[in-house]
Amino acid sequence: MKGAVIVIPTYNEAENVRWLVPAILDSLEGAGWRAVVLVVDDSSPDGTADVVRGIATLRPGIDLLQRPGKLGIGSAYIDGFRRALEEYGWAEYVCEMDADGSHPPETLLEMLEHAEHSGADVVIGSRYVPGGGWVEGPIHRVLVSRGANLLARISTGVEVRDATSGFRVIRTSALRRVIDRLNALWSGYIFQVQLLYLLHEAGCRIEEHPLRFLPRRAGKSKLGTCEIARYASWCLRIILGRIMKG
Ligand SMILES: Nc1nc2c(ncn2[C@@H]2O[C@H](COP(=O)(O)OP(=O)(O)O)[C@@H](O)[C@H]2O)c(=O)[nH]1
Ligand SMILES: [Mg+2]
């Protein structure tokens, strides 16, 4: 049986995990996949972890990694990936997914099937390939995303249209190639671009799959101006480094 661990970082997503976690398991198990959803929660004040514990008593396939405080989305993925590789050796894929409903579970299934059929090491849910896009995306969010992608492409040189997407299927064999180098990555949103760069440098085959990116269902975005500034500072540093080298 094909297997996947879906790592979901959460901070104040109680209303969302309640429906999303069972929906992912229903979708994948219904298509013959073995799946575990691993929620990495940073002791959310809204009790996200309690909701996850509650639904975990009702069905198998749900795991929770609780951390002492808000340590960042990047570091949540690093801890989640380590746990996924250590505890779930049967899984061929480790996935990244947001908790807020922007990433539809049906698309995750399509991305896994895409990886199975194409043999790609990484499949990214992409808003910027034909068939993908924003569903009711507010203009400022779309502009931030476009700008972030432009910076990502100039700094890393990786020819991926949606380098900032946090919706990804990664073959475990590919993740193992870079896992020892993840400690050097940053804890915030730039982690996604840094990880993509590492996977690219490790010779992974990276493909994109159309994603219809939905509005967040409940709660608030955690992407603030500080995060955007940190993101841009990393990209500019890499670009300047390139220019200095000539
Ligand atoms: N564990 C953890 N999860 C986080 C943190 N920051 C954001 N997230 C989660 O990362 C995912 C993406 O965040 P979101 O606020 O939707 O970002 P946006 O889509 O760019 O607005 C969501 O599931 C968040 O709950 C964090 O510091 N720690
Ligand atoms: Mg979101």
Side-chain angles (χ1 to χ4, degrees), residues 157-171:
V158 182
E159 291 290 321
V160 158
R161 285 164 187 265
D162 203 346
T164 63
S165 172
F167 198 16
R168 296 171 176 178
V169 164
I170 306 169
R171 211 172 273 277

Side-chain angles (χ1 to χ4, degrees), residues 8-13 16-17 20 39-44 48 65 67 69-77 97-103 127 134 141 164 166 187-189 192 213-214 216 220-224 227:
I8 305 186
T10 57
Y11 194 73
N12 286 343
E13 306 284 6
N16 293 316
V17 289
L20 181 71
V39 175
V40 184
D41 183 66
D42 282 358
S43 293
S44 301
T48 303
L65 180 58
R67 307 198 307 164
K70 193 170 185 309
L71 298 170
I73 183 173
S75 84
Y77 271 123
M97 189 167 180
D98 287 355
D100 59 0
S102 290
H103 300 156
R127 291 161 289 195
W134 290 74
R141 285 299 312 252
T164 63
S187 61
Y189 282 68
Q192 298 293 10
F213 187 88
L214 302 174
R216 161 180 278 281
K220 282 197 208 118
S221 168
K222 281 94 211 170
L223 178 62
E227 268 302 320

